[in-house]
Amino acid sequence: MKFTEGMWRLREGIRIDWMNNVERLSVENESVDLLLNKFQRHRGDTLNSAAISAHVTSPLEGIIGVKFCHWAGQVDNGPHYKLSSSTGHTKIHHEKNKALQYGSGPLDLTIKTEPNELDFVFSGAKGKLTGHSWRSIGYIGDQTTEKSRWDDGIFFERQGYMLAALDLGVGERVYGLGERFGPLVKNGQTVDIWNEDGGTSSELAYKNIPFYISSNGYGVFVNNPGKVSLEIQSERTTRVNLSIAGEELEYFVVYGSTPKEILRRYTALTGRPSLVPSWSYNLWLTTSFTTNYDEQTVTGFLDGFRDRDIPLGVFHFDCFWMKSYQWCDFEFDADMFPDAPGYLKRLKDRDLRISVWINPYVGQASPLFAEGKKNGYFIKRTDGSVWQWDYWQAGMAVVDFTNPDACAWFSSHLKRLMDMGVDSFKTDFAERIPYRNVQYHDGSDPVRMHNYYTLLFNKVVYDTMIDRYGASQSLLFARSTAPGGQIYPVHWGGDCESTYEAMAESLRGGLSLMLSGYIFWASDIGGFEGTPPPALYKRWVQFGLLSSHSRLHGSSSFRVPWIYGEDCSAVLRDCVNRKILLTPYILAEALLGHNQGTPLMRPMFLEFPDDLTTYPLDTQYMFGANLLVAPVFADSGEVTFYVPRTPEDHAGKWISWFDHSKSYESGRWYTETHDFDALPILIRPGSVTPINAKLKAPQGDALDGLEVLVNGELKDEVKVDVVDPSNTGKVLKVVSVGVKDGAVVADDAGVKVTSVGK
């Protein structure tokens, strides 16, 4: 939120009490408390103006938090994000009237305590990272809101905001902040952390995460589930301005010598990403949204995939598996599915997993509405009535997941569906959550709950599945999330149009989310809104099957390939088979992400932080550590991409996945034209990539047919984790690949070694 008009003026009706001085401080155990006030000329300046308390802590090594508080008397009903913490890693030194030094492992915070010289500087191994310079910590009073009443006289009130502005250096770039569909580089943007259902072609986002990564070697996490506003070089061109309505603002600076290290520390703080079952990496097919379908329609689709030899792993029933106006009542529409249990069994006999769509709303026509109202399972208005509206389902209510009984009630219906054979749930919506004139069962602050609600929704569903299937076989397909939601995978990109532009913005959104602590992501292949032309369909298939998860889904039209031409079926078959072949590689990279927070789909700079050319790239990405992918965004098949510089110890050439005789020089741009049987997929020099061409499905035998692709010379022995498809958190064995007697060999004679470059 902007409060100023240039450097000299404030907006009309705005006043700011700037902090310029450390009045006093105290050190206790591993934390520091400071009292900040305005510029002090004499003792009279301590009167009639705001002061701000600052509390400095370090929850984990390499992370330093600062909490600014104006008035401490506010009621705090939560909710709060769950953060990890430890002790014993800080060092504190105070030179009175000079400076306070606060260290946490490789990260240091220096606070000037000289009179009227307030300054915060966060620094790492290479010097200053960020900090608070002149006039960057303040309390704002806004008298332009309905809160201000002139007739209150001396007790005239203003809407208050906390403001903390963090310095940006020359050439510094900012990334992340959840799944955002605009430019990957966030400089120049205003970003409000507020979950909304706005589609992929707007500044609104389903997945708002108040965490950003800087190219200068640090990240910043704002620990507040309410509406956080960031002005990223969009109000002051040398700063990121953080503001929150209210009396407190807390943020954490997360240090990292590389972007991967920043993500490792951030996910240690907010939660490591959970793993997903191997079968989920197979192709998902849905009924689409508003299409007319019944048992015969679904069976016809499945027969079509079988007859064309296109592997299919998951079938998803979207909204209208339930009767209209009754979402959600968790009952198959008997008119369309007269024998739902029997039909689901027949689908399971085809070796298919089953997913169904749900949301946290209950329409008034649903038989469950009266039950939920009677038992107090819904969010209520402040007068005690059920909060309802007609925007989506007529008269719908919202389940109150702060009520344990409501959670158990909701879970019981999920269990009933799992008894029928349902393997996973698409947890849609959870962004349209009211925040005015409502109350929760546990008394939570409705504004803070607006973004947080999605975590409660996804947790109830995810925990229910874990209770039945175990952690190794459970996953969601969720649209909305908030910090910490990476422990409830998977997430998909929401409602995109059927255009190349929407495909590109979907990629940008996914890469931004991958820089926000998440490791899995999917898009609606072919686009959700509209019907894709055949060329776009095929290009999105290529891209979608090189995402962590792959789902064919639309709104008013089906996404089965033969509707668009049999050549589309051929492209889909080829892409699905390639992804299955890559299963050993995908499982190993996902396990790394689970342990370290490194995503499967990676913006180029995340893998090559020393190559400055990679930092603005948003039309290509790394699929794991070894494969560069450049999707095609044009009917012509023309695509321009950059091949990054690799470290000197791996200075060989990149090799085409499709033609091993074709090589690429590091540090160069290329423009190519591809037919629909290919796209730029490049194998990294010095890499060892496990594959298995014998697999018919991701959950197949990982060892039978295991092969490693070796590109170029290996300077050292490379160890490859072979992950167990039946338990993706377990390593079956470690294969060592190295040079012996001038040849590249594996320590397991059953593993085939294929050299693809020199």
Short mmCIF file of all heavy atoms in Angstrom, two decimals, residues 355-397:
data_model
loop_
_atom_site.label_atom_id
_atom_site.label_comp_id
_atom_site.label_asym_id
_atom_site.label_seq_id
_atom_site.Cartn_x
_atom_site.Cartn_y
_atom_site.Cartn_z
N SER A 355 -9.99 -39.82 -8.50
CA SER A 355 -10.02 -38.54 -7.79
C SER A 355 -11.39 -37.90 -7.98
O SER A 355 -12.00 -38.05 -9.05
CB SER A 355 -8.92 -37.61 -8.35
OG SER A 355 -9.10 -36.28 -7.92
N VAL A 356 -11.87 -37.21 -6.95
CA VAL A 356 -13.12 -36.48 -7.07
C VAL A 356 -12.94 -35.05 -6.57
O VAL A 356 -12.13 -34.78 -5.69
CB VAL A 356 -14.29 -37.16 -6.30
CG1 VAL A 356 -14.59 -38.54 -6.88
CG2 VAL A 356 -13.98 -37.25 -4.81
N TRP A 357 -13.72 -34.16 -7.15
CA TRP A 357 -13.69 -32.74 -6.82
C TRP A 357 -14.50 -32.47 -5.56
O TRP A 357 -15.61 -33.00 -5.39
CB TRP A 357 -14.27 -31.96 -7.99
CG TRP A 357 -14.42 -30.49 -7.82
CD1 TRP A 357 -13.55 -29.52 -8.25
CD2 TRP A 357 -15.52 -29.80 -7.24
NE1 TRP A 357 -14.03 -28.28 -7.96
CE2 TRP A 357 -15.25 -28.41 -7.32
CE3 TRP A 357 -16.71 -30.20 -6.63
CZ2 TRP A 357 -16.12 -27.44 -6.85
CZ3 TRP A 357 -17.58 -29.23 -6.14
CH2 TRP A 357 -17.28 -27.87 -6.25
N ILE A 358 -13.97 -31.63 -4.68
CA ILE A 358 -14.73 -31.13 -3.53
C ILE A 358 -14.36 -29.68 -3.28
O ILE A 358 -13.36 -29.18 -3.81
CB ILE A 358 -14.47 -31.95 -2.24
CG1 ILE A 358 -12.98 -31.89 -1.86
CG2 ILE A 358 -14.94 -33.38 -2.39
CD1 ILE A 358 -12.68 -32.52 -0.50
N ASN A 359 -15.19 -29.00 -2.50
CA ASN A 359 -14.82 -27.68 -1.97
C ASN A 359 -15.41 -27.55 -0.57
O ASN A 359 -16.19 -28.41 -0.12
CB ASN A 359 -15.22 -26.54 -2.90
CG ASN A 359 -16.71 -26.38 -3.16
OD1 ASN A 359 -17.13 -25.79 -4.14
ND2 ASN A 359 -17.56 -26.93 -2.30
N PRO A 360 -15.03 -26.51 0.17
CA PRO A 360 -15.47 -26.44 1.58
C PRO A 360 -16.80 -25.74 1.77
O PRO A 360 -17.07 -25.19 2.83
CB PRO A 360 -14.34 -25.61 2.21
CG PRO A 360 -13.92 -24.67 1.13
CD PRO A 360 -14.06 -25.45 -0.16
N TYR A 361 -17.66 -25.77 0.73
CA TYR A 361 -18.95 -25.09 0.77
C TYR A 361 -20.06 -26.12 0.73
O TYR A 361 -19.91 -27.21 0.18
CB TYR A 361 -19.08 -24.13 -0.41
CG TYR A 361 -17.89 -23.24 -0.63
CD1 TYR A 361 -17.40 -23.01 -1.92
CD2 TYR A 361 -17.24 -22.60 0.43
CE1 TYR A 361 -16.30 -22.19 -2.13
CE2 TYR A 361 -16.15 -21.77 0.22
CZ TYR A 361 -15.68 -21.57 -1.06
OH TYR A 361 -14.59 -20.76 -1.26
N VAL A 362 -21.21 -25.75 1.27
CA VAL A 362 -22.38 -26.63 1.24
C VAL A 362 -23.57 -25.80 0.78
O VAL A 362 -23.97 -24.85 1.45
CB VAL A 362 -22.67 -27.24 2.62
CG1 VAL A 362 -23.93 -28.11 2.57
CG2 VAL A 362 -21.49 -28.06 3.11
N GLY A 363 -24.10 -26.15 -0.40
CA GLY A 363 -25.27 -25.46 -0.92
C GLY A 363 -26.50 -25.71 -0.07
O GLY A 363 -26.66 -26.78 0.54
N GLN A 364 -27.43 -24.75 -0.07
CA GLN A 364 -28.61 -24.87 0.77
C GLN A 364 -29.49 -26.06 0.38
O GLN A 364 -30.17 -26.64 1.22
CB GLN A 364 -29.43 -23.57 0.70
CG GLN A 364 -30.61 -23.52 1.65
CD GLN A 364 -31.19 -22.13 1.75
OE1 GLN A 364 -30.61 -21.24 2.33
NE2 GLN A 364 -32.37 -21.95 1.15
N ALA A 365 -29.44 -26.43 -0.92
CA ALA A 365 -30.26 -27.56 -1.37
C ALA A 365 -29.68 -28.90 -0.95
O ALA A 365 -30.35 -29.93 -1.06
CB ALA A 365 -30.40 -27.52 -2.90
N SER A 366 -28.45 -28.90 -0.47
CA SER A 366 -27.83 -30.15 -0.02
C SER A 366 -28.49 -30.62 1.27
O SER A 366 -28.76 -29.83 2.17
CB SER A 366 -26.34 -29.95 0.21
OG SER A 366 -25.79 -31.06 0.90
N PRO A 367 -28.74 -31.93 1.38
CA PRO A 367 -29.25 -32.46 2.65
C PRO A 367 -28.32 -32.18 3.82
O PRO A 367 -28.78 -32.17 4.98
CB PRO A 367 -29.36 -33.96 2.38
CG PRO A 367 -29.45 -34.08 0.90
CD PRO A 367 -28.63 -32.97 0.34
N LEU A 368 -27.06 -31.93 3.54
CA LEU A 368 -26.10 -31.67 4.62
C LEU A 368 -26.22 -30.26 5.19
O LEU A 368 -25.68 -30.00 6.27
CB LEU A 368 -24.67 -31.90 4.12
CG LEU A 368 -24.33 -33.32 3.65
CD1 LEU A 368 -22.85 -33.42 3.30
CD2 LEU A 368 -24.69 -34.34 4.72
N PHE A 369 -26.91 -29.37 4.48
CA PHE A 369 -26.99 -28.00 4.96
C PHE A 369 -27.72 -27.93 6.31
O PHE A 369 -27.23 -27.31 7.27
CB PHE A 369 -27.69 -27.10 3.94
CG PHE A 369 -27.80 -25.67 4.39
CD1 PHE A 369 -26.78 -24.77 4.16
CD2 PHE A 369 -28.93 -25.22 5.09
CE1 PHE A 369 -26.86 -23.46 4.59
CE2 PHE A 369 -29.02 -23.92 5.53
CZ PHE A 369 -27.98 -23.03 5.28
N ALA A 370 -28.87 -28.56 6.38
CA ALA A 370 -29.66 -28.51 7.63
C ALA A 370 -28.87 -29.14 8.78
O ALA A 370 -28.89 -28.65 9.93
CB ALA A 370 -30.99 -29.23 7.44
N GLU A 371 -28.16 -30.21 8.49
CA GLU A 371 -27.36 -30.87 9.52
C GLU A 371 -26.23 -29.96 10.00
O GLU A 371 -25.99 -29.83 11.21
CB GLU A 371 -26.79 -32.17 8.96
CG GLU A 371 -26.00 -32.98 9.97
CD GLU A 371 -25.44 -34.25 9.34
OE1 GLU A 371 -25.87 -34.63 8.23
OE2 GLU A 371 -24.56 -34.87 9.99
N GLY A 372 -25.56 -29.31 9.04
CA GLY A 372 -24.48 -28.40 9.41
C GLY A 372 -24.96 -27.20 10.19
O GLY A 372 -24.30 -26.75 11.15
N LYS A 373 -26.12 -26.67 9.80
CA LYS A 373 -26.68 -25.53 10.52
C LYS A 373 -27.05 -25.92 11.95
O LYS A 373 -26.73 -25.20 12.91
CB LYS A 373 -27.92 -25.01 9.78
CG LYS A 373 -28.63 -23.89 10.52
CD LYS A 373 -29.94 -23.50 9.82
CE LYS A 373 -30.69 -22.44 10.63
NZ LYS A 373 -32.00 -22.10 10.01
N LYS A 374 -27.72 -27.05 12.09
CA LYS A 374 -28.17 -27.50 13.40
C LYS A 374 -27.01 -27.68 14.38
O LYS A 374 -27.10 -27.33 15.56
CB LYS A 374 -28.93 -28.81 13.25
CG LYS A 374 -29.38 -29.43 14.58
CD LYS A 374 -30.06 -30.76 14.35
CE LYS A 374 -30.43 -31.41 15.68
NZ LYS A 374 -31.07 -32.75 15.48
N ASN A 375 -25.90 -28.20 13.88
CA ASN A 375 -24.78 -28.55 14.75
C ASN A 375 -23.69 -27.49 14.82
O ASN A 375 -22.67 -27.71 15.49
CB ASN A 375 -24.17 -29.87 14.28
CG ASN A 375 -25.11 -31.04 14.47
OD1 ASN A 375 -25.59 -31.30 15.56
ND2 ASN A 375 -25.39 -31.75 13.38
N GLY A 376 -23.90 -26.37 14.17
CA GLY A 376 -22.94 -25.29 14.25
C GLY A 376 -21.65 -25.55 13.49
O GLY A 376 -20.56 -25.15 13.93
N TYR A 377 -21.77 -26.21 12.33
CA TYR A 377 -20.57 -26.57 11.56
C TYR A 377 -20.15 -25.49 10.57
O TYR A 377 -19.12 -25.66 9.90
CB TYR A 377 -20.82 -27.86 10.79
CG TYR A 377 -21.02 -29.09 11.65
CD1 TYR A 377 -21.70 -30.20 11.15
CD2 TYR A 377 -20.51 -29.15 12.95
CE1 TYR A 377 -21.87 -31.34 11.93
CE2 TYR A 377 -20.70 -30.28 13.73
CZ TYR A 377 -21.38 -31.37 13.21
OH TYR A 377 -21.55 -32.49 13.99
N PHE A 378 -20.89 -24.40 10.45
CA PHE A 378 -20.60 -23.39 9.44
C PHE A 378 -20.11 -22.09 10.07
O PHE A 378 -20.40 -21.79 11.24
CB PHE A 378 -21.84 -23.10 8.60
CG PHE A 378 -22.41 -24.30 7.88
CD1 PHE A 378 -23.77 -24.54 7.85
CD2 PHE A 378 -21.56 -25.17 7.20
CE1 PHE A 378 -24.28 -25.63 7.19
CE2 PHE A 378 -22.07 -26.27 6.53
CZ PHE A 378 -23.44 -26.51 6.52
N ILE A 379 -19.37 -21.31 9.27
CA ILE A 379 -19.01 -19.96 9.69
C ILE A 379 -20.30 -19.16 9.90
O ILE A 379 -21.24 -19.24 9.11
CB ILE A 379 -18.13 -19.28 8.62
CG1 ILE A 379 -16.80 -20.02 8.48
CG2 ILE A 379 -17.88 -17.82 8.95
CD1 ILE A 379 -15.95 -19.53 7.32
N LYS A 380 -20.33 -18.38 10.97
CA LYS A 380 -21.54 -17.64 11.32
C LYS A 380 -21.34 -16.14 11.19
O LYS A 380 -20.21 -15.63 11.26
CB LYS A 380 -21.95 -17.95 12.76
CG LYS A 380 -22.34 -19.39 13.00
CD LYS A 380 -22.70 -19.62 14.46
CE LYS A 380 -23.08 -21.08 14.71
NZ LYS A 380 -23.40 -21.33 16.14
N ARG A 381 -22.45 -15.44 11.01
CA ARG A 381 -22.44 -13.99 11.12
C ARG A 381 -22.34 -13.61 12.60
O ARG A 381 -22.55 -14.46 13.48
CB ARG A 381 -23.69 -13.39 10.49
CG ARG A 381 -23.81 -13.68 9.00
CD ARG A 381 -24.98 -12.93 8.37
NE ARG A 381 -25.14 -13.31 6.97
CZ ARG A 381 -24.49 -12.75 5.97
NH1 ARG A 381 -23.63 -11.76 6.22
NH2 ARG A 381 -24.68 -13.14 4.72
N THR A 382 -22.04 -12.36 12.87
CA THR A 382 -21.87 -11.94 14.27
C THR A 382 -23.18 -12.01 15.05
O THR A 382 -23.16 -12.00 16.29
CB THR A 382 -21.30 -10.52 14.33
OG1 THR A 382 -22.10 -9.65 13.51
CG2 THR A 382 -19.86 -10.50 13.83
N ASP A 383 -24.32 -12.10 14.34
CA ASP A 383 -25.59 -12.24 15.04
C ASP A 383 -25.94 -13.69 15.33
O ASP A 383 -27.01 -14.00 15.86
CB ASP A 383 -26.72 -11.56 14.26
CG ASP A 383 -27.00 -12.22 12.91
OD1 ASP A 383 -26.36 -13.25 12.60
OD2 ASP A 383 -27.86 -11.71 12.17
N GLY A 384 -25.04 -14.61 14.95
CA GLY A 384 -25.26 -16.03 15.23
C GLY A 384 -25.89 -16.80 14.08
O GLY A 384 -25.95 -18.04 14.14
N SER A 385 -26.35 -16.12 13.04
CA SER A 385 -26.92 -16.82 11.89
C SER A 385 -25.82 -17.37 11.00
O SER A 385 -24.65 -16.95 11.07
CB SER A 385 -27.81 -15.87 11.08
OG SER A 385 -27.05 -14.79 10.56
N VAL A 386 -26.18 -18.33 10.14
CA VAL A 386 -25.20 -18.90 9.21
C VAL A 386 -24.86 -17.87 8.14
O VAL A 386 -25.76 -17.24 7.57
CB VAL A 386 -25.76 -20.18 8.56
CG1 VAL A 386 -24.82 -20.71 7.48
CG2 VAL A 386 -25.99 -21.25 9.63
N TRP A 387 -23.57 -17.72 7.87
CA TRP A 387 -23.17 -16.84 6.75
C TRP A 387 -23.48 -17.56 5.45
O TRP A 387 -23.05 -18.70 5.23
CB TRP A 387 -21.67 -16.52 6.83
CG TRP A 387 -21.24 -15.54 5.78
CD1 TRP A 387 -21.20 -14.19 5.89
CD2 TRP A 387 -20.81 -15.83 4.45
NE1 TRP A 387 -20.77 -13.60 4.72
CE2 TRP A 387 -20.53 -14.60 3.82
CE3 TRP A 387 -20.64 -17.01 3.71
CZ2 TRP A 387 -20.08 -14.52 2.49
CZ3 TRP A 387 -20.21 -16.94 2.40
CH2 TRP A 387 -19.94 -15.71 1.81
N GLN A 388 -24.24 -16.91 4.56
CA GLN A 388 -24.62 -17.50 3.27
C GLN A 388 -24.50 -16.47 2.16
O GLN A 388 -24.56 -15.25 2.41
CB GLN A 388 -26.07 -18.01 3.31
CG GLN A 388 -26.31 -19.19 4.21
CD GLN A 388 -27.78 -19.61 4.17
OE1 GLN A 388 -28.57 -19.23 5.05
NE2 GLN A 388 -28.15 -20.39 3.16
N TRP A 389 -24.32 -16.97 0.94
CA TRP A 389 -24.48 -16.13 -0.25
C TRP A 389 -24.80 -17.02 -1.44
O TRP A 389 -24.84 -18.24 -1.32
CB TRP A 389 -23.27 -15.23 -0.48
CG TRP A 389 -21.97 -15.87 -0.94
CD1 TRP A 389 -21.66 -17.18 -0.95
CD2 TRP A 389 -20.83 -15.17 -1.45
NE1 TRP A 389 -20.39 -17.36 -1.42
CE2 TRP A 389 -19.86 -16.15 -1.74
CE3 TRP A 389 -20.52 -13.84 -1.68
CZ2 TRP A 389 -18.60 -15.81 -2.26
CZ3 TRP A 389 -19.28 -13.52 -2.19
CH2 TRP A 389 -18.34 -14.48 -2.48
N ASP A 390 -25.05 -16.41 -2.60
CA ASP A 390 -25.44 -17.16 -3.79
C ASP A 390 -24.34 -17.21 -4.85
O ASP A 390 -24.57 -17.71 -5.95
CB ASP A 390 -26.69 -16.53 -4.42
CG ASP A 390 -27.92 -16.66 -3.54
OD1 ASP A 390 -28.01 -17.65 -2.79
OD2 ASP A 390 -28.78 -15.76 -3.59
N TYR A 391 -23.16 -16.66 -4.51
CA TYR A 391 -22.10 -16.58 -5.51
C TYR A 391 -21.33 -17.89 -5.54
O TYR A 391 -20.38 -18.09 -4.83
CB TYR A 391 -21.18 -15.40 -5.19
CG TYR A 391 -20.21 -15.03 -6.29
CD1 TYR A 391 -20.63 -14.98 -7.61
CD2 TYR A 391 -18.89 -14.73 -6.01
CE1 TYR A 391 -19.76 -14.63 -8.61
CE2 TYR A 391 -18.01 -14.38 -7.00
CZ TYR A 391 -18.44 -14.34 -8.32
OH TYR A 391 -17.57 -14.00 -9.32
N TRP A 392 -21.76 -18.80 -6.35
CA TRP A 392 -21.26 -20.15 -6.61
C TRP A 392 -22.42 -21.12 -6.43
O TRP A 392 -23.06 -21.46 -7.40
CB TRP A 392 -20.07 -20.53 -5.70
CG TRP A 392 -19.49 -21.89 -6.02
CD1 TRP A 392 -19.41 -22.97 -5.18
CD2 TRP A 392 -18.94 -22.34 -7.27
NE1 TRP A 392 -18.83 -24.05 -5.82
CE2 TRP A 392 -18.53 -23.69 -7.10
CE3 TRP A 392 -18.74 -21.75 -8.51
CZ2 TRP A 392 -17.95 -24.46 -8.12
CZ3 TRP A 392 -18.15 -22.50 -9.55
CH2 TRP A 392 -17.76 -23.83 -9.34
N GLN A 393 -22.73 -21.54 -5.23
CA GLN A 393 -23.88 -22.40 -5.00
C GLN A 393 -24.95 -21.61 -4.26
O GLN A 393 -24.67 -20.91 -3.28
CB GLN A 393 -23.47 -23.62 -4.19
CG GLN A 393 -22.60 -24.60 -4.95
CD GLN A 393 -23.37 -25.34 -6.04
OE1 GLN A 393 -24.08 -26.31 -5.79
NE2 GLN A 393 -23.21 -24.90 -7.28
N ALA A 394 -26.19 -21.74 -4.70
CA ALA A 394 -27.28 -20.96 -4.13
C ALA A 394 -27.39 -21.21 -2.63
O ALA A 394 -27.50 -22.35 -2.17
CB ALA A 394 -28.59 -21.31 -4.81
N GLY A 395 -27.34 -20.12 -1.86
CA GLY A 395 -27.51 -20.21 -0.43
C GLY A 395 -26.40 -20.95 0.29
O GLY A 395 -26.60 -21.45 1.40
N MET A 396 -25.23 -21.00 -0.32
CA MET A 396 -24.17 -21.84 0.25
C MET A 396 -23.63 -21.29 1.55
O MET A 396 -23.61 -20.10 1.80
CB MET A 396 -23.01 -22.00 -0.75
CG MET A 396 -22.37 -20.71 -1.17
SD MET A 396 -20.78 -20.94 -1.93
CE MET A 396 -19.70 -20.36 -0.62
N ALA A 397 -23.17 -22.23 2.40
CA ALA A 397 -22.49 -21.93 3.65
C ALA A 397 -21.05 -22.41 3.54
O ALA A 397 -20.69 -23.17 2.62
CB ALA A 397 -23.19 -22.60 4.82
#
